[in-house]
Amino acid sequence: MLKLTVKPGEYVLIGEDIKIVFAGGSANNMRILVDAPKKYNIVRSEALERYGMAADPGNEVKHYKDRDISPEAKEKIKAILMAERKRARREEREADPKRKYGYM
């Protein structure tokens, strides 16, 4: 068992493909984000107890195929990402005058 003290925004890596991010909380609870491939069965103990399941092989939660997003949503996401990239490049140029005029 590993006991850690973390601040909001800090994370723990487990292996190469599991990342657990501490998102904040209070004295009685905490919020975490788990970024892991779907091949891993990640279930809260409360859910296991509620449905009378043990954390044994064969009791995995079934994942359903993610729904595709609409072409309109894809275009909006693409536009947002492009605007963010442009903004970041503009801020870089403004922060470094040599880049602004192409000296680098």
Side-chain angles (χ1 to χ4, degrees):
M1 175 81 56
L2 174 64
K3 182 178 179 181
L4 299 171
T5 302
V6 294
K7 297 175 186 170
E10 291 184 330
Y11 60 89
V12 175
L13 291 175
I14 301 174
E16 294 180 7
D17 50 359
I18 300 175
K19 183 178 185 178
I20 300 175
V21 181
F22 177 63
S26 64
N28 295 328
N29 63 53
M30 67 178 202
R31 292 184 311 276
I32 62 169
L33 307 169
V34 179
D35 183 17
K38 287 185 178 181
K39 68 181 181 179
Y40 294 105
N41 187 32
I42 301 171
V43 183
R44 290 175 47 175
S45 61
E46 179 183 315
L48 291 174
E49 293 166 5
R50 182 181 311 147
Y51 298 110
M53 298 170 64
D56 297 325
N59 285 343
E60 289 86 13
V61 173
K62 303 297 182 220
H63 294 285
Y64 298 98
K65 183 180 182 231
D66 292 335
R67 291 185 355 199
D68 288 331
I69 59 175
S70 68
E72 295 84 16
K74 288 180 182 179
E75 286 300 316
K76 285 182 180 179
I77 292 169
K78 187 176 177 181
I80 290 168
L81 292 173
M82 289 179 69
E84 278 296 308
R85 287 185 191 126
K86 286 180 182 178
R87 183 189 59 75
R89 280 191 222 118
R90 185 176 57 245
E91 287 177 359
E92 275 183 18
R93 285 192 307 267
E94 290 171 357
D96 187 358
K98 289 182 181 180
R99 290 188 106 153
K100 184 175 183 177
Y101 298 106
Y103 293 119
M104 291 184 85

